[in-house]
Amino acid sequence: MHEVENSPAVDAVGVAVVGVPLRQLLIAVGEPLVDVLAAPRGFEVEVRDVVIVDPEEESGSGRNGDFVLVIGARGRAAARLVRAAARDSAAAVAVKVDSESDARALRDTAIDCRIALLGVRPEVRWERLESFARSAVDNARLTTDADLGEALGDLFSLAQTVAAMTEGIVAIEDTASRVLAYSRSDDEVDELRRLSILGRQGPEPYLAMLREWGVYQRLRAGEDVVRIDERPDLGIRRRMAVGIHAGTQPLGTIWVQEGKRPLSEHSERALLGAARVAALQLIRQRTEATAGPRFRENLLTGLLDGLIDAQSVADNIGADPAKPAVVVVFTLRPPDASADRSELELQRAEMTSLISVHASAYRRSALVTTIGSRVYVLLPDLPERSAVASALSLTREIVAAAKQHLRARVQVGVGSAARTLDEVAESRTEADRILDAMTHDLRAEIATISDVRAQVVISEILTVLQGNERFRDSRLAVLHEHDAEHGTDLARSLLAYLEAFGDVRGASDGLHVHPNTLRYRVRRAGEITGIDLTNPTERLSAHLQLLLSRRAARR
């Protein structure tokens, strides 16, 4: 086994083969196709081709820089082919995995061999993954073409190029008519051009007029170049425009205004070509703006689930895997029943954004991801003696900011410090359990395990009971059946009595019934079930069984 060479590979005729960084390949392929299980040499390792291997192959499992798709062998059965790909200096290998134990076993193999490993989800079709991966590699090769590379410079360069080709004055706008780029010109500009550049957006009266003329409708409809005649009375010179599209989705517009000289006869063709180049440029900008953060979120999700190795994540975020880390989990407090779902989603998005800003300011290496309705924050590189205290300090800042700036109130569970990054899955599990325990006390905002230890212990016991039918007491099921058949409330009354430690007056106040009514209900429950409520062990067992029933009813 040897490392991938840094020098570029060459094809059969000696031409250098251009590759794509593994990070870019993962962004292009992304979830829900694959999970990163290991990247022992980082995410900048270059992928130069995509190859498929079969379990029957003894050699030729990949060449220098290949992305190897192992078809026909799953889980641990593919370990031999992972090693073979590493020996052939492949950049990465993809294997279907059906269980977490298989994923971890293969991950250890990949780390030992120092090859990137991607776990392919069982339902994913290999041809789809191959298509996505090959497109990513092919696109990387295309963008190295000299002519296209020059054209795909920044939008200002593109605007200047179009101006030279059309002999006009060019502006590139997004779909909101915001000016993204414009050409430099000593030529005379009209009032529309001047106001657009000064305000970085077309002035509303002019925009309304263009909408009235149907210009924007035509630009959104397709690639046809739209011509706008000169209107001296409005200070508008002759101009041409073309819509920028990604398929049927509008991305913006390229405008060219006529200057002192008429627009060249090649202007229409130049605009069509420029629109297609601008589409690639805008798509690339959008992808880079959103894919990078999402890639980091996926890494954190894999780490919290115990799938990806900590060293790969640490290398990517610049953290020390040997230092303590803490996982903090946030959620919105349960909303009113009348809360609108869209409003709830907006609150959750605002909360996530606020958490990300604070976490990044606190630690450059901090990671934030959303799983379901919860937002998880990984705080690595914490001081050994005060890891939890440091996490609590940041958490209090975030909660205070949420109160001040958002319309949302949050609850937060702070996990215990993991000694190393390898152990953060345990911190995440504990943080989740803390947050689960807090749902019964909506007044609580922030808690650690020391604040809710008893509730967490009870919750864990209930989970064990829930998963083992043989531990269930059928006598309590009889009580619930009686309530359902006769419209009584004996089970809830007995639980309130047990939770009040036999304080009849306190429990009856909570149920809004007379103490004598509660005494009757408790006595009747004992008669129906045969449970001896004078026996401490029987009382404890009944209490747990009733708590379990209440948990099930709430789900």
Side-chain angles (χ1 to χ4, degrees):
M1 194 267 298
H2 52 278
E3 301 288 338
V4 174
E5 299 294 336
N6 292 324
S7 57
V10 295
D11 62 14
V13 294
V15 177
V17 178
V18 176
V20 55
L22 177 60
R23 176 197 307 276
Q24 189 173 331
L25 177 71
L26 291 171
I27 288 172
V29 173
E31 60 176 0
L33 299 185
V34 299
D35 296 304
V36 182
L37 302 182
R41 291 188 290 114
F43 294 95
E44 302 308 319
V45 59
E46 194 173 71
V47 177
R48 294 164 178 156
D49 201 1
V50 181
V51 299
I52 297 173
V53 300
D54 186 271
E56 301 302 320
E57 297 183 35
E58 293 295 331
S59 61
S61 300
R63 299 161 299 172
N64 186 357
D66 279 348
F67 175 36
V68 178
L69 310 183
V70 176
I71 294 179
R74 292 181 176 231
R76 300 167 196 258
R80 175 180 60 83
L81 291 167
V82 172
R83 295 190 188 95
R87 284 195 302 270
D88 290 338
S89 299
V93 60
V95 179
K96 285 198 174 184
V97 290
D98 297 307
S99 67
E100 288 188 9
S101 61
D102 275 352
R104 292 192 179 96
L106 271 180
R107 182 188 68 188
D108 293 341
T109 298
I111 293 172
D112 287 342
C113 298
R114 292 187 55 74
I115 186 172
L117 174 66
L118 307 184
V120 182
R121 301 181 186 183
E123 68 276 11
V124 172
R125 296 178 65 87
W126 282 112
E127 57 265 31
R128 185 183 180 201
L129 176 57
E130 181 194 13
S131 174
F132 274 56
R134 199 171 292 284
S135 293
V137 174
D138 290 345
N139 287 341
R141 291 174 180 167
L142 282 174
T143 55
T144 61
D145 179 89
D147 294 336
L148 186 57
E150 182 178 351
L152 284 174
D154 61 52
L155 289 175
F156 279 92
S157 297
L158 179 60
Q160 199 64 36
T161 300
V162 177
M165 295 175 68
T166 62
E167 299 185 23
I169 305 166
V170 176
I172 302 175
E173 298 179 357
D174 65 10
T175 53
S177 298
R178 290 185 293 259
V179 177
L180 303 175
Y182 52 89
S183 62
R184 299 182 304 276
S185 176
D186 296 328
D187 211 338
E188 184 178 346
V189 299
D190 64 12
E191 188 67 3
L192 175 54
R193 161 81 175 189
R194 186 183 69 82
L195 292 175
S196 298
I197 298 301
L198 288 177
R200 302 297 292 177
Q201 186 174 17
E204 182 53 37
Y206 285 104
L207 300 181
M209 184 172 55
L210 293 173
R211 285 193 291 269
E212 184 180 341
W213 293 345
V215 171
Y216 285 112
Q217 182 178 359
R218 293 163 62 193
L219 290 172
R220 288 192 296 268
E223 284 191 322
D224 292 341
V225 173
V226 177
R227 299 172 181 271
I228 298 96
D229 292 334
E230 182 177 14
R231 292 289 300 270
D233 56 319
L234 299 174
I236 299 178
R237 294 193 173 191
R238 178 182 175 231
R239 54 191 3 96
M240 299 168 66
V242 66
I244 305 169
H245 297 85
T248 59
Q249 180 183 356
L251 300 177
T253 310
I254 302 179
W255 296 87
V256 55
Q257 176 215 309
E258 190 173 72
K260 294 178 180 178
R261 294 182 298 277
L263 295 175
S264 74
E265 60 182 16
H266 304 297
S267 294
E268 186 166 327
R269 183 177 178 184
L271 278 176
L272 286 173
R276 293 165 185 170
V277 171
L280 295 175
Q281 185 74 10
L282 291 174
I283 292 169
R284 176 184 293 177
Q285 290 177 357
R286 289 188 179 188
T287 301
E288 289 174 351
T290 59
R294 187 61 198 160
F295 175 68
R296 287 166 62 90
E297 291 178 22
N298 291 343
L299 287 182
L300 176 54
T301 301
L303 187 63
L304 295 179
D305 289 340
L307 296 177
I308 189 172
D309 68 296
Q311 185 66 55
S312 297
V313 176
D315 290 343
N316 183 262
I317 64 177
D320 185 344
K323 286 188 176 181
V326 168
V327 174
V328 183
V329 58
F330 294 75
T331 192
L332 290 171
R333 287 188 176 183
D336 296 333
S338 60
D340 182 77
R341 180 174 179 180
S342 61
E343 182 180 2
L344 183 62
E345 291 299 325
L346 177 59
Q347 288 181 336
R348 186 172 291 122
E350 291 174 340
M351 176 184 72
T352 303
S353 178
L354 183 143
I355 291 169
S356 298
V357 169
H358 279 264
S360 296
Y362 181 74
R363 280 283 187 281
R364 183 184 297 275
S365 53
L367 288 177
V368 179
T369 192
T370 301
I371 303 176
S373 62
R374 296 183 172 185
V375 180
Y376 294 83
V377 182
L378 172 67
L379 299 174
D381 295 329
L382 295 177
E384 188 170 347
R385 295 184 178 180
S386 57
V388 173
S390 298
L392 278 170
S393 176
L394 172 64
T395 301
R396 293 188 186 103
E397 287 182 15
I398 294 174
V399 170
K403 287 181 180 178
Q404 182 178 357
H405 302 296
L406 304 182
R407 295 168 293 155
R409 298 177 65 82
V410 300
Q411 286 189 305
V412 191
V414 181
S416 295
R419 291 174 299 177
T420 67
L421 210 57
D422 271 317
E423 300 175 8
V424 296
E426 298 174 16
S427 182
R428 178 265 179 100
T429 299
E430 184 177 273
D432 275 331
R433 288 171 176 166
I434 292 167
L435 202 55
D436 290 340
M438 294 172 69
T439 58
H440 302 299
D441 182 7
L442 298 184
R443 297 167 301 174
E445 290 182 331
I446 305 170
T448 63
I449 188 63
S450 61
D451 300 316
V452 293
R453 192 182 305 276
Q455 295 96 310
V456 170
V457 169
I458 294 298
S459 178
E460 292 300 297
I461 293 173
L462 294 180
T463 299
V464 172
L465 288 176
Q466 186 175 8
N468 292 271
E469 287 292 331
R470 60 193 179 91
F471 291 155
R472 306 293 289 273
D473 191 334
S474 61
R475 295 176 296 178
L476 273 301
V478 171
L479 187 63
H480 287 294
E481 291 170 2
H482 181 278
D483 280 343
E485 183 177 349
H486 297 89
T488 53
D489 206 8
L490 302 182
R492 189 166 75 98
S493 298
L494 178 57
L495 177 58
Y497 171 78
L498 293 171
E499 288 191 318
F501 297 100
D503 179 2
V504 174
R505 184 164 297 278
S508 61
D509 286 346
L511 292 171
H512 305 292
V513 299
H514 192 277
N516 287 341
T517 301
L518 180 61
R519 290 189 182 96
Y520 168 77
R521 290 179 178 179
V522 172
R523 185 172 64 253
R524 184 72 180 126
E527 292 171 354
I528 292 172
T529 61
I531 295 173
D532 181 4
L533 295 174
T534 65
N535 184 311
T537 304
E538 288 272 271
R539 286 201 307 272
L540 175 59
S541 176
H543 192 176
L544 291 172
Q545 299 282 343
L546 289 168
L547 286 173
L548 182 60
S549 297
R550 182 172 69 182
R551 174 197 271 191
R554 285 176 172 174
R555 287 183 173 177

